[in-house]
Amino acid sequence: MSEVTRRSFLSTTWKVGFGLLAAAGAVTSWDLLKPRLAAGFDAIVRTIAPDAVPETGVVEVREARGYLVNIDGDVVAFSEVCTHLGCRVPYIDENDRFECPCHGSKFTREGCYIEGPAPRGMDHLATEVVEGIIEIDTTEVTKGSPPGSEVC
Ligand code: FES
């Protein structure tokens, strides 16, 4: 039977501890960096009344991972998922547009592609007004238009 020396005990403990630390780091990194699915997450989210969506800016709907935007009186919903690699795209009030912090893609308030590595404008989420409230169907995603499109 082999005897456990202090040196071998400390060496093994160090290796196990380092391994656990590396595994925790890998899991955390993957959780932060993994691409998000563009197909929504299978939920219908009740939001607010259409007339509560302001004519400027956007309304963030965290439960739907998206935004409601009033475009000339029509309310549309955009996915917050960047069409490049899936980062969350925030709306920047000062610039009146969406700007992805990951690789710099930019989109107009109407979801049109402006610049950056994204292959298209922001994806749309289906909406329906039910009993006076906008419902966002995150299972129904329509891809945004490619750069240069007349309609986005
Ligand atoms: S993930 Fe948005 S520009 Fe790359």
Side-chain angles (χ1 to χ4, degrees):
M1 185 169 176
S2 66
E3 184 175 319
V4 177
T5 64
R6 178 176 177 200
R7 175 180 289 247
S8 68
F9 174 77
L10 290 175
S11 175
T12 301
T13 301
W14 171 249
K15 289 174 187 171
V16 168
F18 184 77
L20 290 173
L21 189 63
V27 167
T28 301
S29 297
W30 172 249
D31 193 44
L32 290 173
L33 300 174
K34 69 183 172 191
R36 295 183 186 154
L37 298 177
F41 54 99
D42 298 333
I44 294 176
V45 178
R46 283 180 65 77
T47 61
I48 57 178
D51 59 4
V53 181
E55 294 178 8
T56 59
V58 302
V59 175
E60 184 174 2
V61 184
R62 288 192 177 255
E63 300 82 14
R65 297 181 189 155
Y67 301 96
L68 290 173
V69 182
N70 182 337
I71 303 174
D72 300 327
D74 292 326
V75 177
V76 297
F78 294 122
S79 167
E80 69 176 13
V81 178
C82 185
T83 56
H84 181 222
L85 292 177
C87 288
R88 181 185 167 276
V89 183
Y91 176 76
I92 307 299
D93 274 316
E94 307 86 65
N95 300 332
D96 190 28
R97 65 185 182 192
F98 296 94
E99 297 180 3
C100 183
C102 292
H103 311 104
S105 287
K106 294 177 178 56
F107 311 89
T108 65
R109 182 176 164 274
E110 293 78 21
C112 301
Y113 171 90
I114 298 174
E115 65 182 32
R120 61 183 184 274
M122 296 179 73
D123 291 340
H124 294 240
L125 300 171
T127 60
E128 184 179 2
V129 177
V130 178
E131 297 171 353
I133 299 293
I134 301 167
E135 290 186 349
I136 300 176
D137 184 350
T138 63
T139 65
E140 196 176 329
V141 180
T142 304
K143 289 187 176 184
S145 299
S149 300
E150 288 186 20
V151 179
C152 61

